């Protein structure tokens, strides 16, 4: 395989490389390749471990302590009894699910005082990585550059089926094949997924989410963003569904915790599951994100957020109902603002353009590479410019129909039901009856956190945004007619919709669904909210989606070739694949940064900073009385450093969404912190890592221990952890 020759060349080349490229360029590296690619760089930076200590398939290694938490976050094992640490915001949905007005664990925190008090979380999973294996040769067998994309896809799917029958796994394991480098390389990943995961502890939100959305993506930071869970296993220590008979899982490895603290310049690494990055895009793609897509998404979300925020502040029940949804929407809204700022101040686009000029010179200097890659960038230009209006409409659609207006989301669920019902012919009633429990279940969950007054306001604002924001030719005729009928008065339109629709309250909705299948379906189809939702879905499916998918497929293909071209033309450069929710290692050092002229941020924060930010009664910056008292009395125990409690720190580790909850480790592999965020301007690292301004944000593990012990009075949890002092080499235990 050509690709592999180049990879080999890279490996040879790096043996001679002296400069520390990776620390400068960021990178999220595949643990199974660290031995070949990175270990020297890491040891040069200060790592005291071997590659086998980080990743081994024969012996236990640090990888065995790393968990993919619920598929979206990272967590880690911190005891030999399955105790698991992750972020508060990763456990948030589960903590919320256990919360009521009477037992408000979001507000007051939760500490199980023994294993019987732990709370089960149906649906929550914890996945370990058993083995990562390069299977590129097997997966690309029979694939050639002349093939159409469809044929290529078919061949790859066939090869995956064959591979699945060849690789032997245990009954309790899973195998997944994943593309890397835009489909230039493939890895098989064997996993074990545990399903009995119980909530052990969480600080109150005034600690776990301190600073909330004002401080989100911001340094200096003072959030105690952690929560504790425990994995349970069958009596054979294997994955099992929830059962009272299950026992605490005994991991192959768990992380010792350092009590020695971190200092500027210390080596750090972050081991976890970064979700998605796109580091190798052409400049036109970044430009489209920055100038077209991000501004639109930011605009839509701020409109929704303003409405929901006001309602949440006025009503405690709405506050609980919308807390998790609001946090999710606000999170990326703010991220995109920072991303655009960072792309701007770092001159990301002109840098990328310069890179492209050099790359093209290189490509064109040789007739063979010129023939293969000479048109790549002009093809990108052409496709991205065609793509723009479809891409924009696609984003409007997913933001408005699938995220921010809740009855539209319900419409889409009902639309699927109606469609399948109608397709089922004489089996229709049977289909309806089998589907009903599932739909009921979905709706029950939905209405628990639904308030129609809130949604009505969002609907009014965002329907207008939709009509005014996308290309006129993409609009649903039905919606346009309705709006004409109401003389462009969106409030009147939503008055009617919300007065007459059954979707906006659970009683009407469940009554409707309890009718005979045919009359239920007939009623759904006449429902005014449903009709608007469906008109939007159909218009998208007919007018946007086909072209969107078609161009997107071309762009994907170009990107695969462009990726191969970059690797081929730069044999001395080490490339790391974009994040794809697989296990990665990144490393760097504890380091401050200069966000703008004359401003320097130190890399550490302390409890004193929490007191500086304290605003009594504020929903973001209130400090619980007990914490204030501990502060006053300086009851800091063994957690203080020079009389101060450390809270957060930043480093040059290259992380992204999905790395939340990832352990920050010291040079010996001890836990020193918990990754939970990045600095605002640095969030552009998803497209353009720049060591000058990209920093990840971690909670200091000493703050976590301090809160568990002194605030939560759950010191017994510390007894099962292994506390160490690597700098002073004194084992505390
Ligand atoms: N920005 C962090 C991440 O992307 C934290 C998000 C949760 N916190 C919040 N205030 N919404 O997940
Ligand atoms: N908070 C993010 C997460 O949930 C991590 C921050 C980032 O995007 O780097 O994964």
């Amino acid at each position: 395989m050509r690709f592999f020759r180049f990879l080999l060349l890279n490996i040879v080349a790096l043996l001679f490389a002296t400069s520390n490229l990776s620390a400068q360029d960021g990178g999220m590296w595949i643990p199974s390749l660290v031995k070949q690619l990175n270990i020297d760089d890491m040891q040069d930076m200060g790592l005291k471990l071997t590659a086998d200590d980080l990743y081994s398939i024969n012996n236990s290694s640090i990888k065995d302590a790393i968990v993919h938490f619920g598929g979206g976050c990272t967590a880690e094992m911190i005891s030999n009894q399955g105790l698991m640490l992750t972020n508060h915001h990763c456990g948030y949905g589960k903590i919320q699910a256990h919360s009521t007005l009477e037992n408000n664990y979001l507000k007051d925190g939760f500490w199980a005082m023994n294993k019987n008090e732990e709370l089960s979380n149906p649906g929550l999973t914890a996945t370990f990585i058993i083995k990562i294996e390069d299977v590129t040769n097997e997966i690309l067998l029979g694939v050639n550059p002349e093939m159409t994309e469809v044929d290529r896809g078919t061949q790859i799917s066939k090869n995956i089926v064959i591979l699945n029958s060849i690789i032997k796994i245990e009954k309790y394991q899973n195998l997944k094949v994943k593309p890397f480098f835009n489909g230039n390389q493939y890895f098989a990943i064997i996993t074990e997924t545990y399903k009995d995961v119980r909530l052990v502890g969480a600080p109150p939100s005034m600690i776990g989410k301190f600073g909330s959305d004002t401080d989100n993506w911001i340094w200096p930071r003072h959030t105690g963003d952690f929560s504790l869970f425990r994995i349970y296993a069958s009596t054979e220590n294997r994955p099992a569904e929830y059962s009272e008979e299950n026992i605490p899982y005994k991991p192959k490895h768990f992380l010792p915790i350092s009590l020695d603290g971190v200092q500027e310049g210390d080596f750090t690494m972050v081991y976890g599951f970064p979700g998605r990055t796109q580091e190798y895009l052409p400049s036109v793609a970044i430009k489209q994100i920055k100038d077209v897509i991000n501004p639109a998404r930011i605009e839509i979300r701020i409109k929704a957020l303003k409405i929901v925020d006001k309602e949440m502040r006025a009503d405690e029940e709405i506050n609980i109902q919308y807390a998790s949804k609001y946090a999710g929407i606000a999170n990326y809204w703010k991220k995109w603002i920072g991303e655009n700022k960072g792309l701007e101040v770092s001159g990301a686009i002109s840098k990328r353009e310069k890179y492209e000029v050099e790359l093209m010179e290189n490509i064109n200097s040789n007739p063979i590479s010129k023939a293969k890659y000479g048109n790549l960038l002009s093809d990108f230009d052409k496709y991205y410019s065609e793509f723009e209006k479809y891409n924009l409409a696609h984003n409007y659609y997913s933001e408005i129909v699938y995220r921010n207006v809740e009855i539209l989301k319900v419409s889409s669920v009902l639309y699927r039901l109606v469609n399948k019902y109608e397709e089922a012919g004489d089996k229709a009633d049977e289909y309806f009856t089998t589907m009903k429990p599932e739909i009921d279940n979905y709706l029950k969950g939905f209405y628990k956190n639904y308030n129609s007054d809130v949604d009505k306001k969002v609907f009014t604002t965002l329907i207008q945004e939709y009509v005014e924001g996308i290309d006129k030719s993409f609009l649903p005729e039905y919606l346009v007619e309705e709006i004409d009928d109401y003389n462009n008065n969106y409030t009147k339109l939503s008055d009617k919709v919300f007065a007459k629709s059954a979707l906006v309250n659970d009683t009407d909705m469940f009554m409707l669904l309890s009718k005979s299948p045919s009359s239920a379906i007939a009623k759904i189809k006449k429902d005014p909210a449903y009709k608007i939702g469906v008109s939007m879905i159909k218009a998208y499916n007919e007018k946007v989606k086909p072209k969107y998918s078609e161009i997107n497929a071309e762009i994907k293909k170009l990107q695969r070739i462009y990726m191969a071209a970059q690797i081929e033309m730069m044999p001395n450069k080490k490339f790391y694949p974009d994040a794809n929710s697989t296990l990665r290692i990144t490393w760097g050092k504890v380091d401050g940064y200069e966000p703008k002229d004359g401003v320097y941020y130190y890399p550490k924060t302390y409890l004193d900073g929490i007191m500086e930010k304290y605003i009594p009664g504020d929903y973001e910056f209130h400090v619980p009385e007990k914490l204030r008292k501990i502060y006053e009395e300086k009851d800091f125990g063994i957690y203080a450093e020079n009389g101060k409690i450390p809270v957060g720190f930043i480093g040059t580790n290259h992380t992204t969404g999905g790395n939340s909850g990832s352990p920050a480790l010291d040079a010996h592999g001890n836990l020193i912190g918990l990754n939970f965020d990045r600095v605002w301007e640095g969030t552009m690292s998803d497209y353009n890592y720049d060591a000058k301004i990209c920093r990840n944000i971690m909670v200091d593990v000493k703050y976590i221990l301090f809160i568990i012990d002194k605030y939560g009075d759950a010191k017994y949890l510390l007894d099962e952890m292994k506390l160490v002092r690597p700098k002073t080499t004194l084992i505390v235990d």
Side-chain angles (χ1 to χ4, degrees):
M1 205 90 303
R2 164 165 295 122
F3 183 77
F4 277 92
R5 274 220 322 274
F6 288 110
L7 204 65
L8 260 180
L9 275 178
N10 287 345
I11 295 165
V12 175
L14 80 91
L15 293 176
F16 300 100
T18 47
S19 73
N20 210 323
L21 264 179
S22 45
Q24 282 306 306
D25 293 356
M28 305 164 166
W29 302 86
I30 303 173
S32 54
L33 299 186
V34 160
K35 202 174 198 160
Q36 301 162 38
L37 289 176
N38 316 106
I39 192 67
D40 293 344
D41 286 349
M42 294 179 81
Q43 290 171 343
D44 282 353
M45 284 266 305
L47 177 70
K48 300 282 186 247
L49 300 173
T50 66
D52 284 336
D53 295 329
L54 299 173
Y55 175 94
S56 166
I57 48 171
N58 302 316
N59 300 301
S60 67
S61 59
I62 293 181
K63 93 157 165 41
D64 300 314
I66 315 298
V67 179
H68 207 182
F69 180 85
C73 276
T74 307
E76 52 276 349
M77 293 284 100
I78 54 168
S79 87
N80 66 359
Q81 299 170 45
L83 190 61
M84 180 164 70
L85 180 65
T86 188
N87 287 142
H88 185 260
H89 80 261
C90 293
Y92 201 72
K94 297 300 172 193
I95 305 167
Q96 184 209 18
H98 293 294
S99 292
T100 57
L101 280 172
E102 298 76 50
N103 271 331
N104 193 339
Y105 300 137
L106 280 183
K107 184 157 170 279
D108 305 325
F110 170 78
W111 305 99
M113 282 301 158
N114 56 58
K115 295 200 176 83
N116 291 328
E117 286 183 14
E118 297 170 358
L119 302 173
S120 76
N121 301 285
L124 182 59
T125 55
T127 299
F128 292 88
I129 303 302
I130 306 304
K131 193 174 176 186
I132 305 169
E133 204 173 303
D134 190 332
V135 290
T136 313
N137 290 334
E138 289 83 348
I139 296 301
L140 292 184
L141 194 71
V143 168
N144 65 59
E146 283 73 45
M147 275 178 155
T148 64
E149 286 302 285
V150 174
D151 289 348
R152 182 188 167 92
T154 314
Q155 184 64 38
I156 288 175
S157 303
K158 268 194 217 152
N159 292 343
I160 290 179
V161 173
I162 295 171
L163 191 76
N164 264 297
S165 67
I166 297 174
I167 297 188
K168 292 275 164 286
I169 56 169
E170 305 291 343
K171 281 197 304 292
Y172 49 85
Q173 296 180 327
N174 295 92
L175 170 70
K176 197 160 179 138
V177 174
K178 284 247 195 187
F180 288 67
F181 289 116
N182 306 109
N184 284 293
Q185 198 174 9
Y186 285 82
F187 281 83
I189 299 166
I190 299 175
T191 58
E192 287 175 13
T193 295
Y194 288 78
K195 295 178 182 138
D196 186 349
V197 181
R198 305 184 195 167
L199 178 63
V200 174
S205 291
M206 288 320 314
I207 290 174
K209 209 185 159 189
F210 182 73
S212 192
D213 294 305
T214 299
D215 267 11
N216 192 19
W217 303 111
I218 298 287
W219 183 256
R221 189 66 156 277
H222 299 88
T223 314
D225 196 344
F226 78 94
S227 59
L228 291 160
F229 288 80
R230 191 184 304 278
I231 300 180
Y232 282 80
S234 71
T235 43
E236 292 83 44
N237 206 35
R238 301 278 182 235
E241 297 295 335
Y242 172 85
S243 156
E244 280 188 20
E245 263 80 78
N246 286 347
I247 53 166
Y249 169 65
K250 203 168 165 29
K252 290 190 217 113
H253 180 74
F254 67 92
L255 302 174
I257 300 177
S258 167
L259 279 177
D260 272 346
V262 293
Q263 270 165 22
E264 180 153 15
D266 280 359
F267 174 89
T268 65
M269 57 186 169
V270 172
Y271 210 148
F273 293 88
R276 182 163 192 241
T277 59
Q278 295 173 278
E279 309 288 352
Y280 305 100
L281 291 177
S283 57
V284 279
I286 303 182
K287 228 186 280 176
Q288 188 162 102
I289 293 165
K290 174 173 169 285
D291 296 339
V292 182
I293 304 302
N294 278 354
R297 306 194 277 201
I298 291 166
E299 176 74 15
I300 293 168
R301 289 201 178 187
I302 188 60
K303 292 201 157 141
L305 287 167
K306 274 193 181 148
I307 295 166
V308 180
D309 177 59
K310 199 166 153 212
E311 304 285 328
M312 281 171 74
R313 284 177 195 240
D315 184 320
E316 187 52 26
E317 194 181 346
I318 296 179
N319 193 28
I320 297 180
Q321 288 179 315
Y322 281 79
S324 195
K325 287 184 274 194
Y326 184 92
I329 295 167
N331 191 32
Y332 267 65
W333 161 73
K334 193 165 179 188
K335 187 215 169 195
W336 294 321
I337 298 175
E339 187 170 280
N340 269 15
K341 272 185 201 292
L343 291 171
E344 192 61 47
V345 300
S346 66
I349 289 169
S350 58
K351 271 192 211 147
R352 193 65 54 104
E353 284 167 349
K354 187 164 159 267
Y355 169 86
E356 286 162 5
V357 170
E358 283 165 15
L359 181 69
M360 285 320 287
E361 270 171 22
N362 196 352
I363 286 175
N364 290 332
S365 68
N366 170 325
I368 300 177
S369 54
K370 186 175 176 182
K372 270 198 299 188
Y373 305 130
N375 294 330
L376 271 176
L377 287 172
S378 51
D379 286 351
F380 269 128
D381 282 344
K382 183 175 125 227
Y383 282 114
Y384 272 106
S385 104
E386 248 185 83
F387 194 44
E388 186 169 302
K389 68 177 181 185
Y390 297 98
N391 195 9
L392 184 67
H394 170 81
N395 276 280
Y396 263 83
Y397 179 73
S398 63
E399 283 295 318
I400 292 174
V401 179
Y402 277 100
R403 207 181 239 280
N404 288 291
V405 184
E406 297 173 87
I407 40 164
L408 296 180
K409 207 179 335 174
V410 174
S411 306
S412 76
V413 173
L414 296 176
Y415 182 53
R416 226 172 302 137
L417 174 75
V418 171
N419 268 344
K420 289 262 163 68
Y421 174 88
E422 291 182 338
E423 278 163 21
D426 45 347
K427 294 239 161 56
D429 283 2
E430 205 179 301
Y431 173 78
F432 187 92
T433 320
T434 14
M435 283 311 287
K436 191 157 177 306
E438 207 175 291
I439 301 266
D440 281 352
N441 208 12
Y442 166 81
L443 290 173
K444 242 186 255 153
F446 173 80
Y447 287 114
K448 178 169 180 266
N449 290 328
Y450 182 73
N451 179 297
S452 66
D453 293 336
V454 177
D455 196 32
K456 184 178 170 188
K457 290 181 180 147
V458 176
F459 175 93
T460 314
T461 303
L462 290 192
I463 289 287
Q464 179 165 4
E465 185 72 21
Y466 196 78
V467 171
E468 290 169 2
I470 65 172
D471 196 292
K472 293 283 163 279
S473 65
F474 297 156
L475 289 174
E477 279 124 40
Y478 174 75
L479 179 62
V480 173
E481 282 163 20
E482 284 287 280
I483 289 159
D484 278 348
D485 284 352
Y486 286 90
N487 281 327
N488 286 322
N489 187 331
Y490 289 87
T491 311
K492 287 224 171 98
L493 172 69
S494 64
D495 282 345
K496 181 198 86 174
V497 171
F498 278 75
K500 298 216 169 127
S501 171
L503 276 54
V504 305
N505 79 69
D506 51 347
T507 324
D508 290 355
M509 192 64 217
F510 287 121
M511 189 124 81
L512 187 161
L513 285 174
S514 67
K515 297 198 183 322
S516 74
S518 62
S519 60
I521 295 286
K523 274 214 172 332
I524 293 174
K525 288 175 74 177
K526 275 200 228 126
D527 188 279
Y530 177 82
K531 274 160 76 180
I532 289 183
V534 169
S535 77
M536 294 172 88
I537 296 169
K538 281 188 172 160
Y540 171 80
N541 285 343
E542 284 158 20
K543 303 174 186 191
V544 179
K545 196 176 167 196
K547 204 73 188 160
Y548 174 87
S549 311
E550 183 193 317
I551 308 173
N552 203 21
E554 287 300 332
I555 289 177
K556 252 180 98 178
K557 175 180 170 188
L558 280 180
Q559 186 65 41
R560 184 179 72 238
I561 301 170
Y562 185 49
M563 188 71 242
Q566 294 178 70
I567 294 174
E568 185 178 327
M569 302 316 294
M570 283 174 277
N572 290 330
K573 185 175 148 107
K574 276 185 275 174
F575 285 84
Y576 58 91
D578 274 320
N580 58 356
S581 294
T582 58
L583 187 60
R584 303 296 179 90
I585 298 185
T586 174
W587 66 93
K589 58 177 195 252
V590 177
D591 200 12
Y593 75 112
E594 217 183 294
K596 53 186 163 197
D597 188 36
V599 177
Y600 177 77
Y601 285 135
Y602 290 96
K604 282 187 64 140
T605 56
Y606 297 89
L607 189 54
D608 309 69
I610 295 183
M611 298 312 299
E612 280 173 13
K613 285 181 177 172
Y614 170 42
I615 305 174
D618 185 73
Y619 82 108
E620 295 186 301
F621 292 103
H622 181 74
V623 177
E625 190 188 343
K626 187 166 178 187
L627 187 57
R628 278 182 278 138
K629 187 154 173 277
I630 296 170
Y631 179 75
E632 293 299 316
E633 293 170 357
K634 292 210 177 319
D635 179 16
F636 297 160
I638 55 170
Y639 311 107
E641 280 168 15
N642 302 321
K644 285 153 61 132
I645 290 288
V647 172
F649 64 99
I650 51 175
T652 57
N653 307 292
H654 185 182
T655 56
T656 189
N659 269 126
S660 271
S662 299
L665 302 162
D666 69 6
H668 307 275
N670 303 310
L671 188 70
I672 50 173
L674 190 57
N675 182 77
F676 71 104
D677 212 356
R678 277 174 289 170
V679 303
W680 211 17
E681 307 82 0
T683 57
M684 62 148 184
S685 63
D686 291 348
Y687 309 110
N688 177 52
Y689 180 87
D690 184 334
K692 281 222 303 271
I693 57 169
C694 292
R695 295 289 178 276
N696 70 313
I697 307 181
M698 298 154 275
V699 205
D700 195 306
V701 78
K702 288 169 79 176
Y703 185 56
I704 295 175
L705 298 176
F706 164 79
I707 292 294
I708 295 174
D709 176 354
K710 298 287 177 179
Y711 187 92
D713 291 321
K715 188 160 195 292
Y716 81 96
L717 288 171
L718 270 59
D719 297 340
E720 60 182 285
M721 301 175 195
K722 183 174 171 193
L723 306 179
V724 297
R725 289 197 182 272
K727 287 182 180 167
T728 43
T729 61
L730 173 78
I731 306 275
V732 179
D733 253 332

